[in-house]
Amino acid sequence: MRKKVVIANWKMNYDFHETTSFIRNFLKIVFERKINHDNKEIILSPSFPFLHISNQILQGTTLNIAAQNIHQSDKGSYTGEVSAFMLKSLGIRKVILGHSERRKFFFEKNDLLSKKIKMALKYSLDIIFCVGESSLERSKNKQFEVIKSQLKETVFHCSSDEMKYFYIAYEPIWAIGTGKTATIEQAQTMHEFIRSLFFNKYGQSISDEISILYGGSINELNAKDLFNQKDIDGGLIGRSSLEMEKFLKIVQS
Ligand code: PEP
């Protein structure tokens, strides 16, 4: 069955204390308020230095941790980088790749992302792979073409058997951190299109199974309408995931 997924992408925000106290409080509140999360996957994505402690706090729960990046090699002279090989040794099982901030500020292109995907798969990490068009591309009605080539040049190099490692996050760049969410119709139309690409490439069961998340200024007010769409299986949340009550409401949506 297709998974419902909510991911908190904390980017480069929380320090050690903020990360660990958020996670501990979150677990406490979920327990105290009896928030039902049986049928959904909740994934938290803290910065590299806090992955280990975060993972330890979550031991024995159903919540998961994802890293925000990996290098395309597993070892070597790459000062300052972190590899899938290292994450695996910490028991981290998921990674976000292709986020538009990585594409924009660190010049990550599809060919590099394709190498990162290979490395993640070598260590059996699940991949939350982000795609999205700019406002200029949308203004020229090129959004479908852009998303298609982002997938064709990366994820679609992988085999059917490898699809079980993927989540796709559709994140229109113009909606990230801007407070400007895609309309329900824009989001659903794109998700349906993405699912059709998976259908054409891999067939019915993979296109039915793959979770396609929306990301871009999701908040506690718009989450429910977005998540009610038939091809939107949850969300990748930036800003609103930094506030406990907002994030809890999004999870409950
Ligand atoms: C993101 O960066 O993935 C994101 C969706 O951010 P925000 O929710 O702040 O738009």
Side-chain angles (χ1 to χ4, degrees):
M1 232 203 26
R2 200 190 295 169
K3 282 178 289 197
K4 292 279 182 193
V5 188
V6 183
I7 305 175
N9 177 11
W10 288 337
K11 310 186 182 184
M12 196 179 71
N13 283 299
Y14 281 161
D15 68 7
F16 175 83
H17 175 71
E18 290 165 326
T19 302
T20 52
S21 58
F22 186 108
I23 298 176
R24 289 198 172 99
N25 284 336
F26 185 80
L27 290 173
K28 192 163 159 260
I29 295 173
V30 166
F31 180 73
E32 281 172 1
R33 296 189 200 163
K34 299 187 173 55
I35 293 176
N36 179 9
H37 58 286
D38 292 348
N39 53 353
K40 53 184 93 91
E41 207 177 331
I42 303 172
I43 301 172
L44 307 175
S45 189
S47 297
F48 281 133
F50 317 126
L51 289 173
H52 186 44
I53 182 75
S54 303
N55 211 26
Q56 283 185 329
I57 299 171
L58 292 180
Q59 285 304 310
T61 75
T62 54
L63 277 70
N64 269 300
I65 292 292
Q68 295 175 19
N69 184 32
I70 51 167
H71 190 264
Q72 62 275 23
S73 303
D74 40 15
K75 288 182 185 183
S77 304
Y78 301 104
T79 303
E81 291 296 310
V82 174
S83 69
F85 162 73
M86 294 168 174
L87 296 181
K88 193 72 185 181
S89 72
L90 291 178
I92 303 298
R93 298 188 2 242
K94 298 179 193 292
V95 63
I96 300 172
L97 291 178
H99 192 281
S100 65
E101 287 154 13
R102 299 291 318 169
R103 293 178 193 256
K104 179 177 172 191
F105 299 121
F106 303 95
F107 313 107
E108 296 195 359
K109 303 266 184 287
N110 291 337
D111 58 343
L112 175 70
L113 292 170
S114 201
K115 290 180 186 149
K116 291 190 177 204
I117 286 176
K118 276 208 185 80
M119 198 47 66
L121 292 174
K122 178 173 171 187
Y123 290 95
S124 307
L125 298 181
D126 292 336
I127 299 165
I128 299 131
F129 192 79
C130 307
V131 293
E133 81 285 356
S134 67
S135 58
L136 182 66
E137 287 159 342
R138 184 165 276 267
S139 72
K140 294 181 179 164
N141 204 26
K142 291 207 182 294
Q143 63 273 23
F144 298 106
E145 208 180 295
V146 169
I147 303 305
K148 188 174 179 179
S149 64
Q150 285 176 351
L151 287 170
K152 213 171 141 198
E153 293 170 25
T154 56
V155 177
F156 287 176
H157 291 169
C158 299
S159 68
S160 308
D161 288 346
E162 290 169 329
M163 283 304 111
K164 61 178 180 285
Y165 291 102
F166 282 93
Y167 308 74
I168 302 300
Y170 168 58
E171 300 208 301
I173 298 168
W174 46 271
I176 295 180
T178 58
K180 199 174 159 193
T181 323
T183 64
I184 306 293
E185 200 195 344
Q186 283 170 329
Q188 166 55 28
T189 304
M190 182 56 84
H191 281 234
E192 193 173 1
F193 173 71
I194 292 172
R195 206 174 294 289
S196 77
L197 296 176
F198 277 87
F199 175 80
N200 293 339
K201 173 79 184 165
Y202 298 106
Q204 188 77 57
S205 74
I206 286 172
S207 73
D208 280 348
E209 291 286 310
I210 193 148
S211 293
I212 307 177
L213 319 180
Y214 170 79
S217 297
I218 293 186
N219 58 41
E220 71 287 10
L221 303 174
N222 60 27
K224 203 176 193 124
D225 285 342
L226 284 161
F227 298 167
N228 273 340
Q229 301 307 302
K230 78 174 172 44
D231 290 296
I232 302 183
D233 306 310
L236 178 51
I237 328 290
R239 220 164 13 164
S240 299
S241 71
L242 292 165
E243 288 178 54
M244 177 76 73
E245 288 301 328
K246 284 191 180 176
F247 186 60
L248 281 163
K249 285 202 178 108
I250 294 170
V251 168
Q252 288 175 288
S253 303

